[in-house]
Amino acid sequence: MKPKDEKKVEAIAAAVYRLAAGKGLAAVTLADIAREAGVATSTLYVYYKSREDLLDDVYQKAKTATVTRYASDDDPKASLKARVRRIWNNIVDNRIENRQQVAFLEQYYHSELLSETSRALGQRMSAPFIELLVAGQRSEQLKTVPPALLAAAVMGLARETALLVSRGDLPDDETTRANGFQLCWDAIRA
Amino acid sequence: MKPKDEKKVEAIAAAVYRLAAGKGLAAVTLADIAREAGVATSTLYVYYKSREDLLDDVYQKAKTATVTRYASDDDPKASLKARVRRIWNNIVDNRIENRQQVAFLEQYYHSELLSETSRALGQRMSAPFIELLVAGQRSEQLKTVPPALLAAAVMGLARETALLVSRGDLPDDETTRANGFQLCWDAIRA
Amino acid sequence: MKPKDEKKVEAIAAAVYRLAAGKGLAAVTLADIAREAGVATSTLYVYYKSREDLLDDVYQKAKTATVTRYASDDDPKASLKARVRRIWNNIVDNRIENRQQVAFLEQYYHSELLSETSRALGQRMSAPFIELLVAGQRSEQLKTVPPALLAAAVMGLARETALLVSRGDLPDDETTRANGFQLCWDAIRA
Amino acid sequence: MKPKDEKKVEAIAAAVYRLAAGKGLAAVTLADIAREAGVATSTLYVYYKSREDLLDDVYQKAKTATVTRYASDDDPKASLKARVRRIWNNIVDNRIENRQQVAFLEQYYHSELLSETSRALGQRMSAPFIELLVAGQRSEQLKTVPPALLAAAVMGLARETALLVSRGDLPDDETTRANGFQLCWDAIRA
DNA sequence: TATGAATGAGCCTTCATTCAT
DNA sequence: TATGAATGAAGGCTCATTCAT
C-alpha cells in the first residue's frame, strides 16, 4: 500500500507479467512472484496486504501504461483516418512488444478477480477514443452504428492482427500492418 | 479412461461449463465438479485418470460441438456473402446461446493446459472455413491478404459483437446482427 | 462432523489432552495433534472442518465425561453431607486422575474460543448439583446465601485441594481428602 | 534490557493487560502490543530482548503490584480474623478492580511460559501470609491442617467470589463480601 | 463401478525477530 | 533511541490423487 522501494514494486510487477504469460495467471503463486522478483515471500506483504491486492495493483499499473501507449503520438490536428490509424498501430505495437503485460491483463480481466475500481478504470480510459469515433460519425466519415461497435471492431481487429503476428502466422512488418488496418478502416468507414 | 455411462460423462461436462462460467475455471475443483455432477469425487477417476485429462476431454467435446454449430445450415450452393453471413451468424448465436460453454472454452484455451492434440483439433476444424475464404479471394470477391487475416477478422468481429450483446451494451436483435455483419463484410470484401 | 472411525476420533481427543497439558493449548498446532494421533494433518479435516471445530468437539466430549464422573455413585437416598462429599470426592479424584483432560478443559474454557453451545452445556450439566444445594438450604442444613456461592465454594475448594496434590504439596491420601472436605463442609453448612 | 523511558515501559505493560483480557494472551502479538502502546514494533526490542522477556517482566510487575495490594492496610495489631478478612477483602477487590491485570496474570501463569524466577517470586511474596496462618494455628484459632491448604482455601474462595461478581451472578456489594468471607472463615477456623 | 477415507504437497498468510538508517 | 523494511519459520487449510471396500 505504501511502497517505499519503487524498484522492488516494479520487480514484482515484472515478475507477475513474466509468470502469467509463461504458466498462466491461475498457476502463479506468491512464492513464484517472490522468487522471480528476488525477495522473500513475506516481503510481498510489506507492500500489499493480500494476493488479491497485489494483483489488482499490478493490473491497474499495467492497464494505465497500456492505455497511455494507445494514445501516444496522437495528433488532434491530423485527419480522422490518420488518428485512428495511429491508435490502431499503437494497439498492435503494444500487443506485440508488451506481450507478457498484455497476457497478464487479459487473463486478469477474465479472472473474476477484477475489482469494481479496476473495471471502472478501463471504462474511463477508453472514453476519449469513443469520443473520437463519435466525432467521425458526425462528420459522416464513419458508419452510423452504435459507437461501441466501432470501438470493438478497431480493438478486435488490432487484437487479431497482433495475435497472428505473435503466433508467427504473419510477419512483423509494415505490410501486415497496412493489410490489417485496411480491413479495420473498411469495416468502420461509412 | 473408458467411459461407460454416457449420462455421467455429460453431467460432468455440463458441470464444468457451469462452474467455469460461474467462478472461473481456475477456481473449479474436482470436488466442485463432482458435487455439481452428482457423483463422488473419486468417481471422476473412474472416467478420467487426472484433472488434466478430464478437462482436456471436456474441451474436445465442447470444441467439436462449437465448430459443428459454426458450420450448421451452410449451403454450398449459396453465394459467398450468404455463406459467410451464415457462418458469422452461427458464431454470434453460439456465443450468445452457449455462453457457459464458450466461457469454458476460452478460459481453457488460454490456460496453457491445452494439449497438443487439442490445439491441432482447432486448426483442423477451421480448415473448411479457410478454404471458403480462399475461394472468395480467387473469385476476387475478398481482399488479397493472407487468408488467416480474413478468418481472424470474421471470428474477431463475431466475437466482439457477441460480447457487446452478452454484456448488454447492444440489444440481442436483428439490427445488431445486421450492423455487425456489415462491418465484417466491408472489412474483408475486395 | 461425521466421524467414521471412532478410534481415530478418540486418538485425536487424547492427543489434544496430552499436548494441551504439556505445552499449553495455545501452542498446540494441528501438526502436533496429527503427529500425536498418528494421522496426517489433512486427515483432521476429514473429521472436522476447522481447528476451532475440532477443539470445540473435544471440549464437549471432555466436559460431558467430566460432569458424568462428578455425578457417579451419587446415592439419592444418602444424607446431604454424604452426597456432597461423594461429589466433592469425585471432583478431586477426577482432577487428579484426569489431569490432562482437566488441564485442557480449563485452558479452553478461558480461551475465548468457547462456543455459545459449549458454554450452555456447562450450565446445563451443573443444574442438578445446584438443585441438591438448594434442597440443603431448604432443610436448613446449608447457609442461606446465593446457591451459586455454595456451588463455587465446593468446586473451588475441590480444585485447590487437587491442585496441591498434583503439585506434590500434599500427599494423595485419605487424610488430605478428609481435611479438604472438612474445610468445604464447614464453609457451606449452616 | 535497560529501560530508560519508564513511561513507555508502563504503556507497554498496560497494553498487555488490556489486550490479554480482551482477546486472550495467546492471540496477542508484538504488533498488537506496539500499536496499543503507541510505539513501533521494533522499538519493543530496545526494551526487551524477546517476546518472552517482555511478558515475563510485565508478569513480575503485575505480580508484585498484586501481592502488594493484598497486604495493604494490614494491621499487625488487629485480631487474626480481622487481619484475614482484610487480606481476603483485598484479594476480592483487586480481582474486581484490576480485572485486566488479573486476567493477564492467570493466563500467563498457566501458559508454561512462566520462568523459574517468576515462579519463585510468587512463593516468596506469599510467605508472610502463610506465616500469619501458621500463627493462627498455634493460637488454636485455625484448623490443624497443612497451612498450604488453609492458604489455598482463602485464595480459592476469594477467587470464586470475585468471579461470580465479575460475571454478574452476584452484586458487587457488602453483602456479597460478608457472605463470601463467612464461608471462608468457617472453612478455616478451628 | 462407485465411494468415503486418507494423505502429501503446496498455498496464502502471520509473526517474532533482525537490519539498516 | 526509534523505526520501517525485510525475512525465515511455521501455521491453518485446500486439493488432486490414491486406497480399501
Side-chain angles (χ1 to χ4, degrees):
Chain A
M1 292 275 103
K2 287 170 184 172
K4 261 290 167 59
D5 190 335
E6 195 55 37
K7 250 178 203 157
K8 222 156 264 179
V9 174
E10 269 165 35
I12 291 170
V16 171
Y17 303 147
R18 227 172 304 147
L19 290 162
K23 56 194 291 200
L25 180 55
V28 175
T29 72
L30 291 185
D32 287 334
I33 298 172
R35 194 180 319 114
E36 196 77 5
V39 299
T41 305
S42 49
T43 302
L44 298 178
Y45 284 85
V46 171
Y47 293 84
Y48 304 101
K49 72 183 232 293
S50 72
R51 178 193 145 98
E52 195 176 332
D53 241 52
L54 185 158
L55 291 181
D56 204 64
D57 185 65
V58 173
Y59 176 79
Q60 298 205 23
K61 270 188 173 41
K63 183 74 187 177
T64 304
T66 293
V67 177
T68 301
R69 281 188 216 107
Y70 287 177
S72 83
D73 293 317
D74 174 38
D75 176 6
K77 279 166 294 190
S79 72
L80 174 68
K81 184 173 179 182
R83 292 185 70 188
V84 173
R85 164 120 209 202
R86 170 85 275 155
I87 292 169
W88 189 86
N89 260 324
N90 285 341
I91 297 176
V92 172
D93 288 348
N94 178 63
R95 294 191 78 102
I96 293 173
E97 288 161 20
N98 300 81
R99 199 184 326 201
Q100 297 179 329
Q101 210 178 57
V102 171
F104 162 70
L105 238 23
E106 298 226 316
Q107 289 185 60
Y108 189 74
Y109 187 79
H110 291 104
S111 74
E112 320 285 322
L113 288 175
L114 204 58
S115 70
E116 215 33 67
T117 318
S118 292
R119 198 171 292 276
L121 176 68
Q123 304 265 335
R124 185 155 21 91
M125 308 221 68
S126 58
F129 178 49
I130 296 283
E131 280 166 32
L132 177 64
L133 296 175
V134 171
Q137 291 182 310
R138 272 195 295 261
S139 58
E140 296 184 358
Q141 293 177 274
L142 300 183
K143 286 194 172 73
T144 317
V145 297
L149 189 53
L150 296 180
V154 176
M155 303 283 291
L157 285 167
R159 185 186 125 103
E160 298 291 340
T161 303
L163 206 56
L164 290 170
V165 171
S166 288
R167 267 199 210 146
D169 292 342
L170 292 182
D172 184 7
D173 59 14
E174 184 49 35
T175 304
T176 292
R177 281 170 175 72
N179 283 338
F181 185 66
Q182 185 67 55
L183 269 70
C184 176
W185 184 250
D186 285 350
I188 64 175
R189 78 162 166 204
Chain B
M1 299 260 87
K2 289 181 179 176
K4 269 280 171 64
D5 189 338
E6 194 55 36
K7 242 179 207 159
K8 225 160 259 181
V9 172
E10 266 166 36
I12 291 171
V16 171
Y17 302 148
R18 226 171 306 146
L19 289 163
K23 54 195 290 201
L25 180 55
V28 175
T29 71
L30 291 186
D32 287 335
I33 298 172
R35 192 180 320 114
E36 196 79 3
V39 300
T41 304
S42 46
T43 302
L44 297 179
Y45 285 84
V46 172
Y47 293 86
Y48 305 100
K49 74 178 230 287
S50 73
R51 176 191 148 100
E52 198 177 330
D53 243 49
L54 186 157
L55 291 181
D56 205 63
D57 184 66
V58 173
Y59 176 80
Q60 297 203 25
K61 268 189 174 40
K63 184 74 187 177
T64 305
T66 293
V67 177
T68 301
R69 281 189 216 106
Y70 287 177
S72 85
D73 293 317
D74 175 35
D75 175 7
K77 280 167 294 193
S79 71
L80 174 68
K81 184 172 178 182
R83 293 185 69 189
V84 172
R85 163 119 208 201
R86 171 83 275 158
I87 293 169
W88 189 87
N89 260 324
N90 285 341
I91 299 177
V92 172
D93 288 348
N94 179 63
R95 295 193 77 104
I96 293 172
E97 286 160 22
N98 301 80
R99 201 184 322 204
Q100 296 179 330
Q101 210 177 58
V102 171
F104 162 70
L105 237 24
E106 297 229 315
Q107 290 184 59
Y108 189 74
Y109 186 79
H110 290 104
S111 75
E112 320 287 320
L113 288 174
L114 205 58
S115 72
E116 218 31 70
T117 317
S118 293
R119 199 172 292 276
L121 176 68
Q123 303 265 332
R124 183 154 24 91
M125 307 222 65
S126 58
F129 178 47
I130 295 283
E131 279 165 34
L132 176 64
L133 296 174
V134 171
Q137 289 181 312
R138 272 197 295 264
S139 59
E140 296 184 358
Q141 291 177 275
L142 298 183
K143 287 195 174 73
T144 318
V145 298
L149 189 52
L150 295 180
V154 176
M155 303 282 292
L157 285 167
R159 185 185 125 104
E160 298 290 341
T161 303
L163 205 55
L164 290 171
V165 172
S166 289
R167 264 197 215 149
D169 292 341
L170 292 183
D172 184 6
D173 59 13
E174 184 49 37
T175 304
T176 293
R177 282 169 174 74
N179 283 337
F181 185 67
Q182 184 66 53
L183 269 70
C184 176
W185 183 250
D186 285 349
I188 64 174
R189 76 163 167 204
Chain C
M1 293 274 103
K2 288 169 185 174
K4 262 288 164 60
D5 190 336
E6 195 54 37
K7 248 178 204 158
K8 222 157 263 177
V9 173
E10 268 165 36
I12 291 171
V16 172
Y17 303 148
R18 226 171 304 146
L19 289 163
K23 56 195 288 203
L25 180 55
V28 175
T29 72
L30 291 184
D32 287 335
I33 298 172
R35 193 180 319 114
E36 197 78 4
V39 299
T41 304
S42 49
T43 302
L44 297 178
Y45 285 86
V46 171
Y47 292 84
Y48 304 100
K49 71 182 233 292
S50 72
R51 177 192 144 101
E52 196 176 331
D53 242 53
L54 186 157
L55 291 182
D56 204 63
D57 185 64
V58 173
Y59 175 80
Q60 297 204 25
K61 271 187 173 42
K63 183 75 187 176
T64 305
T66 293
V67 177
T68 301
R69 281 187 216 108
Y70 288 178
S72 85
D73 293 315
D74 175 36
D75 176 6
K77 279 167 296 194
S79 72
L80 174 69
K81 183 172 179 182
R83 292 184 70 189
V84 173
R85 165 119 210 205
R86 172 82 272 157
I87 292 169
W88 190 86
N89 260 325
N90 284 342
I91 297 176
V92 172
D93 288 349
N94 178 63
R95 295 192 77 103
I96 292 171
E97 287 161 21
N98 301 81
R99 200 186 322 205
Q100 296 177 330
Q101 210 178 56
V102 171
F104 162 71
L105 238 23
E106 298 227 317
Q107 290 184 59
Y108 189 74
Y109 186 80
H110 291 104
S111 74
E112 324 282 323
L113 289 174
L114 204 59
S115 70
E116 216 33 68
T117 318
S118 293
R119 199 172 292 277
L121 176 68
Q123 304 265 333
R124 186 155 22 92
M125 308 223 66
S126 58
F129 178 48
I130 295 282
E131 280 167 35
L132 177 63
L133 296 175
V134 171
Q137 290 181 310
R138 272 195 295 263
S139 59
E140 296 183 0
Q141 292 177 275
L142 300 182
K143 287 193 173 74
T144 317
V145 297
L149 188 53
L150 295 181
V154 176
M155 304 282 293
L157 284 168
R159 185 185 126 103
E160 297 290 340
T161 303
L163 204 56
L164 290 171
V165 171
S166 289
R167 268 199 211 145
D169 292 342
L170 292 182
D172 184 6
D173 58 15
E174 184 49 36
T175 303
T176 292
R177 281 171 176 72
N179 283 337
F181 184 66
Q182 184 67 54
L183 269 71
C184 176
W185 182 251
D186 285 349
I188 64 174
R189 78 164 165 203
Chain D
M1 298 260 87
K2 288 180 177 175
K4 268 283 172 58
D5 190 337
E6 194 54 37
K7 244 179 207 158
K8 225 159 261 180
V9 173
E10 266 167 36
I12 291 171
V16 171
Y17 302 147
R18 227 171 305 147
L19 290 164
K23 56 195 288 200
L25 180 54
V28 175
T29 72
L30 289 186
D32 287 335
I33 298 173
R35 192 180 321 114
E36 195 79 5
V39 299
T41 304
S42 45
T43 302
L44 298 178
Y45 284 84
V46 172
Y47 293 85
Y48 304 100
K49 76 179 227 288
S50 73
R51 177 192 147 98
E52 199 178 329
D53 242 51
L54 186 157
L55 291 181
D56 205 64
D57 184 65
V58 173
Y59 176 79
Q60 299 205 21
K61 270 189 172 42
K63 184 73 185 178
T64 305
T66 293
V67 177
T68 300
R69 282 189 215 106
Y70 287 177
S72 85
D73 293 317
D74 175 37
D75 176 6
K77 278 166 296 192
S79 71
L80 174 68
K81 182 172 178 182
R83 292 185 69 188
V84 172
R85 163 121 209 200
R86 168 87 274 153
I87 292 169
W88 190 86
N89 260 325
N90 285 342
I91 297 176
V92 172
D93 288 348
N94 179 63
R95 295 191 79 103
I96 293 172
E97 288 160 21
N98 301 79
R99 199 182 324 202
Q100 297 180 330
Q101 212 178 57
V102 171
F104 162 70
L105 237 26
E106 298 228 315
Q107 290 185 59
Y108 188 74
Y109 186 79
H110 291 105
S111 75
E112 320 287 320
L113 288 174
L114 205 59
S115 71
E116 217 32 68
T117 317
S118 293
R119 199 172 293 275
L121 176 67
Q123 305 265 333
R124 183 153 26 90
M125 307 222 66
S126 57
F129 178 48
I130 294 284
E131 281 166 32
L132 176 63
L133 296 175
V134 171
Q137 290 181 310
R138 271 196 296 262
S139 59
E140 297 184 359
Q141 293 178 274
L142 300 182
K143 286 194 174 75
T144 318
V145 298
L149 188 53
L150 296 180
V154 175
M155 303 282 292
L157 285 167
R159 187 186 124 102
E160 297 290 341
T161 303
L163 206 54
L164 290 171
V165 171
S166 289
R167 265 199 212 147
D169 292 342
L170 292 184
D172 184 6
D173 60 14
E174 183 49 35
T175 304
T176 292
R177 282 170 174 72
N179 283 338
F181 184 66
Q182 184 67 54
L183 268 71
C184 176
W185 182 250
D186 284 349
I188 63 175
R189 77 163 168 204

